[in-house]
Amino acid sequence: MSALNDTTIERVNWRDAQRELRAIRSTVFVTEQHVPEELEWDGIDDVCDHVLARTPDGNAVGTGRLLPDGHVGRMAVLGPWRRRGIGGALLQVLITIAQERGFDRIELHAQTHALGFYERYGFRAEGAEFIEAGIPHFRMVRI
């Protein structure tokens, strides 16, 4: 677990935290970004490592996951909590988990508007822009 201005970032498993993880992802991806539910709920959450950001009063405000193959995904922070460093703290923990699991290469699909965010954490875009769930993305890699 790590802390950021009294917001804690903790590793959680899907079984225990799925209600909170689903609520954040539903708000950000399904409601705000209009990702179809059948794309958001891909059936692999139970085999992923998840991180969850909580406010001092215990409210869940951000999440991300690491897939078994070393891909980072489903990074989401609720609107009122964005631009406070929570996304970066979530990503740092996911990078640490990936390194603990022996991955020397971490990949993700970044929404185009978020390229600069991921570049600050050592990721570099590879290839051309593509559309995923109706949103422009780039494949990014951190070695």
Side-chain angles (χ1 to χ4, degrees), residues 8 81 88 95 98 109 137:
T8 58
W81 295 93
I95 290 168
H109 292 173
H137 284 73

Side-chain angles (χ1 to χ4, degrees), residues 1-12 21 24 49-56 59-65 75-77 81 84-97:
M1 183 178 342
S2 65
L4 172 75
N5 298 328
D6 296 328
T7 299
T8 58
I9 309 297
E10 58 185 302
R11 292 169 79 162
V12 297
L21 299 170
I24 294 165
D49 289 291
H50 297 269
V51 292
L52 185 64
R54 290 186 192 279
T55 62
N59 290 323
V61 298
T63 188
R65 73 180 186 181
M75 291 281 301
V77 176
W81 295 93
R84 297 183 187 200
I86 294 170
L90 289 164
L91 184 57
Q92 289 280 50
V93 173
L94 290 168
I95 290 168
T96 299
I97 294 169

Side-chain angles (χ1 to χ4, degrees), residues 108-123:
L108 56 83
H109 292 173
Q111 293 182 11
T112 299
H113 71 84
L115 287 176
F117 167 78
Y118 290 108
E119 287 172 344
R120 288 193 295 277
Y121 295 90
F123 287 87

Side-chain angles (χ1 to χ4, degrees), residues 14 20-26 28-30 33 35-45 48-53 61-67 71-78 87 90-91 94 107-111 117-118 132-133 137:
W14 179 252
E20 294 166 305
L21 299 170
R22 277 184 170 274
I24 294 165
R25 287 168 46 187
S26 287
V28 173
F29 297 123
V30 178
Q33 298 182 357
V35 172
E37 288 203 41
E38 61 273 13
L39 294 179
E40 181 56 33
W41 310 117
D42 57 11
I44 62 170
D45 282 305
C48 295
D49 289 291
H50 297 269
V51 292
L52 185 64
V61 298
T63 188
R65 73 180 186 181
L66 179 70
L67 281 72
H71 280 76
V72 168
R74 303 307 199 263
M75 291 281 301
V77 176
L78 296 177
L90 289 164
L91 184 57
L94 290 168
E107 297 185 29
L108 56 83
H109 292 173
Q111 293 182 11
F117 167 78
Y118 290 108
E132 184 173 79
H137 284 73

